Amino acid sequence: MYSNRLGQLACRPFTKAKLQWPCAMKQHRHLQPRLLVQSGRMVSHSTVDPAEVRKFQALASRWWDEQGEFGVLHAMNELRVPFIRDNLLNVHSVRQMGRPLSGLRILDVGCGGGLLTEPLARLGADLLGIDPVQDSVRIAELHLSHDPALSGRVQYRACSLEELVEEEEEAKEGFHAVLASEVLEHLADLNTFIDSCHHVLKPGGSLFITTINRTQLSYVLGIVLAEQILRIVPRGTHDWEKFISPVELETLLESTGFSVECIRGMLYNPVSGAWSWQQSAAINYALHALKRREEPQPDRVQTEGEKVDEVAHAAGQY
């Protein structure tokens, strides 16, 4: 049932050289210094932006209103749930028919009211949803209580990712996948966030991201049109300076110990209220990356003897 759909959503490897992005790369205020390690423990900057917390606190009661401010995210599930499911099935063997993600432990960061958490739990995965907005977590727990079938497979916590890192470092259990859907553009510190995602993942684990590219087109459609004219999302939801291009994000992920498997463009149609996959990632895009099983080793200095052997081999003397 599920395996025959894998080809439909299979991602081609992402190659930067084949893409030309319309905006130049630049350092942004949410790209902060990397995590420090003291006495074997991680010391992080906060990823939480207090202004963003206040913004979502005011909207917390509306998470499950499909016609309301979060209607676009409800519609996005038509793409992001199969995207996550099928890529996980490409990494892990198929589990149970009807519950293909059974046995997988997934962390949903910035879960809000649980819009993405619950559908993945229905596919058999064990989900932990975290969010710094206490009222959003309460709404998620309330909605979860109406579905006894998910009892025991979903947990919610009001905390930041870096707070969870401290606990996961003690437990050392790790997650098979981490989700950060429509989260990056609301962070105070992107570097710390990516480092923390890497830290809580098992080796070979998956990181799934959906976010917004930083282009002139994304500003016109994502902010001017969506927020100010059509008001599909509340005014002030996004800050264009916090958007990140696929090239920037891939560079950050690769330097943190991830291997980017694929990037796919997404587009929302306000007339039909539906999302679709696109060749262009100029506005929204989805990304799948894997945590490398072995950390890259530093370059080793060749001895003089090795250099002589290498030259001799290249000259055809062997």
Side-chain angles (χ1 to χ4, degrees):
M1 175 180 177
Y2 291 100
S3 59
N4 63 6
R5 291 201 57 189
L6 296 183
Q8 298 178 23
L9 291 177
C11 292
R12 297 178 180 177
F14 176 59
T15 305
K16 288 188 288 186
K18 294 182 179 179
L19 299 176
Q20 294 182 352
W21 304 105
C23 59
M25 293 175 60
K26 61 180 180 179
Q27 187 72 15
H28 287 275
R29 52 189 168 89
H30 67 316
L31 296 176
Q32 301 294 334
R34 287 212 169 277
L35 290 170
L36 303 176
V37 177
Q38 295 180 359
S39 303
R41 297 186 64 81
M42 300 180 68
V43 180
S44 72
H45 302 85
S46 175
T47 63
V48 178
D49 185 335
E52 297 286 347
V53 172
R54 290 191 295 270
K55 188 187 304 180
F56 284 96
Q57 187 83 21
L59 298 170
S61 63
R62 306 171 194 173
W63 276 108
W64 287 96
D65 180 3
E66 296 188 25
Q67 306 303 317
E69 289 87 343
F70 298 112
V72 173
L73 295 183
H74 282 272
M76 188 184 286
N77 276 357
E78 293 297 318
L79 291 190
R80 60 183 178 174
V81 172
F83 179 77
I84 294 166
R85 179 199 65 202
D86 292 353
N87 278 289
L88 283 176
L89 292 182
N90 280 333
V91 175
H92 304 276
S93 59
V94 176
R95 308 289 168 141
Q96 300 178 19
M97 185 62 65
R99 295 183 60 192
L101 302 185
S102 178
L104 298 184
R105 186 169 181 248
I106 299 176
L107 173 64
D108 186 4
V109 184
C111 64
L115 273 59
L116 181 58
T117 315
E118 289 192 14
L120 292 172
R122 292 190 184 95
L123 294 177
D126 293 317
L127 270 292
L128 172 61
I130 64 172
D131 199 289
V133 180
Q134 180 71 56
D135 285 353
S136 292
V137 173
R138 290 197 186 102
I139 292 297
E141 291 174 333
L142 177 62
H143 194 272
L144 178 66
S145 67
H146 297 312
D147 191 347
L150 298 182
S151 176
R153 291 213 302 273
V154 178
Q155 293 182 344
Y156 291 110
R157 287 190 52 193
C159 68
S160 67
L161 179 57
E162 58 268 25
E163 289 172 336
L164 187 69
V165 163
E166 293 297 320
E167 297 180 8
E168 287 300 314
E169 185 159 347
E170 294 293 341
K172 296 188 182 300
E173 185 175 355
F175 293 90
H176 295 95
V178 172
L179 318 177
S181 186
E182 306 306 294
V183 169
L184 267 56
E185 60 270 25
H186 302 290
L187 297 174
D189 183 346
L190 183 55
N191 275 2
T192 294
F193 183 84
I194 297 299
D195 271 312
S196 298
C197 289
H198 184 273
H199 193 75
V200 298
L201 274 170
K202 294 176 180 290
S206 293
L207 174 62
F208 294 96
I209 292 172
T210 67
T211 191
I212 310 175
N213 197 349
R214 193 183 63 260
T215 62
Q216 292 181 348
L217 188 59
S218 70
Y219 179 80
V220 172
L221 297 183
I223 294 181
V224 176
L225 184 64
E227 294 186 15
Q228 301 174 11
I229 298 177
L230 298 180
R231 300 190 178 182
I232 298 171
V233 293
R235 191 184 186 101
T237 297
H238 296 115
D239 179 352
W240 186 80
E241 287 293 330
K242 283 189 173 183
F243 295 173
I244 184 168
S245 75
V247 171
E248 290 173 320
L249 183 53
E250 192 226 13
T251 300
L252 176 58
L253 289 168
E254 293 283 349
S255 69
T256 310
F258 287 98
S259 175
V260 175
E261 298 295 300
C262 67
I263 293 178
R264 300 194 66 183
M266 306 165 67
L267 181 66
Y268 179 73
N269 185 331
V271 176
S272 65
W275 288 85
S276 61
W277 294 115
Q278 300 290 314
Q279 292 293 326
S280 171
I283 308 174
N284 295 77
Y285 61 95
L287 176 148
H288 175 220
L290 294 175
K291 177 178 177 178
R292 289 196 287 266
R293 293 185 179 275
E294 294 183 3
E295 296 299 323
Q297 298 298 316
D299 293 337
R300 185 170 63 89
V301 178
Q302 286 183 311
T303 65
E304 289 299 323
E306 288 174 327
K307 291 180 180 179
V308 170
D309 289 344
E310 186 176 293
V311 171
H313 183 75
Q317 295 182 12
Y318 285 7

